[in-house]
Amino acid sequence: MPPDNRPPPEKMMFQLTLRRRGISDQRVLRAMDSVPRDVFVEESDRGDAWCDTALGIACGQTISQPFVVAYMTERLELRDDSRVLEIGTGSGYQAAILSRLCREVVTIERFRELADRARARLEQLGCDNVEVMLGDGFDIPAEAGQFDRILVTAAMERIPDGLIARIEPGGLLIAPVGPHNGRQTLILLRRTTAGLARKELIDVRFVPALPGIAREL
């Protein structure tokens, strides 16, 4: 018999779920298919890696629900030459998806343990266009420069002016905005020649974005 080259059922269902929920950008779907989510979850959660649900990781943080990852990525309208800033590296999963779709990703994490783990995973997968920085997402180093796209993966009560200032003309920023202990709304900001255009997307639930570098756990 010839070898069975079909993807396992859980990966087939993973893709089908994304399509059923409205993800239609083929580049995003291919990126989601090419990045092994099971590499980014805790060993005890490997059996649920391809489920459409958020999962806990170290330092009290989470790896986001795949639909939310795909949805936010799709709304970024990424180009091959895009330079992307991510606030909140977490497991590194979102950065790995972004790396398949743009020129460069700079991702900032306030927990050293998470930053180190994510860097190792991304190197293992050959994501050579991703730089993982230990730092404060509310205080971006000046040398980081400007970005075509900015993605925030933790809840902010308001988007800091300093972060908005990093958006290149014609660029986009997406962030979950709202109370830390409750639901937030994904906000899309687009820098146009007339100023900032703001659009509300969907309700989500993210862990809080906090200032400063976290103390060692």
Side-chain angles (χ1 to χ4, degrees), residues 79-83 98-99 101-105 129 148:
R79 306 185 305 260
D80 289 341
D81 63 349
S82 294
R83 184 169 190 255
L98 296 173
S99 77
L101 299 166
C102 66
R103 173 174 60 89
E104 181 184 359
V105 181
N129 58 342
D148 307 296

Side-chain angles (χ1 to χ4, degrees), residues 66-144:
F67 166 72
V68 173
V69 172
Y71 181 89
M72 293 175 74
T73 304
E74 189 172 62
R75 294 307 179 277
L76 279 179
E77 302 173 17
L78 291 166
R79 306 185 305 260
D80 289 341
D81 63 349
S82 294
R83 184 169 190 255
V84 183
L85 172 66
E86 179 191 27
I87 305 297
T89 310
S91 69
Y93 179 64
Q94 175 73 78
I97 299 294
L98 296 173
S99 77
R100 301 291 199 262
L101 299 166
C102 66
R103 173 174 60 89
E104 181 184 359
V105 181
V106 176
T107 179
I108 298 180
E109 175 55 56
R110 66 189 298 267
F111 289 97
R112 183 180 298 277
E113 180 181 351
L114 292 182
D116 290 345
R117 286 190 182 189
R119 190 179 295 111
R121 291 181 181 118
L122 292 163
E123 289 176 358
Q124 174 189 340
L125 292 176
C127 300
D128 300 327
N129 58 342
V130 181
E131 179 184 2
V132 180
M133 297 176 58
L134 177 69
D136 181 353
F138 288 84
D139 186 18
I140 311 300
E143 59 270 22

Side-chain angles (χ1 to χ4, degrees), residues 165-186:
R166 296 304 181 109
I167 310 172
E168 288 274 21
L172 301 175
L173 179 151
I174 295 179
V177 178
H180 285 172
N181 298 314
R183 287 197 171 273
Q184 304 94 32
T185 300
L186 277 183

